[in-house]
Amino acid sequence: MVKKMIGCLCIHGFTGAPYEVEPLAEYLHEKTTWRIVVPTLPGHGETLSLKGITYKQWIECAEKEMEKLLVECETVDVIGFSMGGLIAAYLAEKYPVEKLILLSAAAKYINVGQLLKDIKQMWKDMRSGTLSENELFLRYKNKFLFTPISAAWQFRKMAACSKPLFAKIQTPTFIAQGLADGIVPPKSAEYIYRRLPSRHKEIYYVPHAKHHICHTGEKEQLFEKVFTFLKGSSRVI
């Protein structure tokens, strides 16, 4: 059987769900005939159930989807958001990934300065009675309530496992980072870029984007750059 289809695996972040990368996945779906897969990692989704889940289960889930795509498709790209970027790096080092997209990849985490600004804004919104309209608060309030300490520890183990792999990845890589991200600082993107031995690598900063970079007001320009990088000059779309 001749495999001609292009596959694209999109991986969401820690305590997240497919919605984190769905705007980009939908954009690519509209532009191409590629097979695009957006799995939900164990314990994740709209309702979190992370107790007892290990980082190895997150990796195994992504590996299963990767192996399916490699059977079905001629080439496979991987897109990873936040912790999903760490899992994407693991896949790119282990499997024949054609192109790698890292969005707010959490090689380093907690941008203290921006996080303090965000907290200050939440405090102002609470005092003015508009906290329920604060997008960042709405995205994270349930995560703070339903994320066990053990899951946070598994995330740290995931980071420790994945960070050394960046120095081994030869895959063409596009790195995108929001400059107003309070969770992953811009130095994370710089760290990854410097360590990648790949000859084909790009880094792109989105000026006003917070952590959920696929939901920023500047997403159209970001998506265009990702699409341009993925399709190259000769790929069938």
Side-chain angles (χ1 to χ4, degrees), residues 94-207:
K94 183 175 181 180
Y95 295 91
V97 172
E98 186 74 8
K99 292 185 178 180
L100 177 64
I101 306 294
L102 301 175
L103 308 173
S104 310
K108 295 183 180 293
Y109 35 92
I110 305 301
N111 181 351
V112 176
Q114 183 62 47
L115 187 60
L116 289 174
K117 289 180 183 178
D118 292 337
I119 291 172
K120 185 177 180 181
Q121 184 59 53
M122 288 183 200
W123 176 251
K124 287 181 178 179
D125 290 345
M126 184 175 69
R127 295 188 67 182
S128 65
T130 60
L131 186 60
S132 61
E133 299 172 16
N134 185 296
E135 183 181 358
L136 201 63
F137 171 75
L138 294 175
R139 287 194 186 280
Y140 285 99
K141 65 174 183 177
N142 287 333
K143 294 185 180 186
F144 290 136
L145 292 173
F146 299 109
T147 302
I149 297 297
S150 60
W153 180 245
Q154 290 300 317
F155 166 78
R156 292 179 68 88
K157 291 175 76 172
M158 176 78 243
C161 165
S162 300
K163 282 173 66 174
L165 301 179
F166 288 113
K168 302 178 181 180
I169 295 172
Q170 301 288 343
T171 306
T173 304
F174 180 91
I175 304 162
Q177 176 63 46
L179 292 179
D181 188 339
I183 305 300
V184 173
K187 65 181 180 181
S188 180
E190 297 163 12
Y191 172 91
I192 294 169
Y193 185 85
R194 287 198 307 269
R195 278 156 181 76
L196 282 175
S198 174
R199 293 182 179 181
H200 187 188
K201 56 184 178 181
E202 296 181 24
I203 189 167
Y204 174 64
Y205 293 104
V206 186

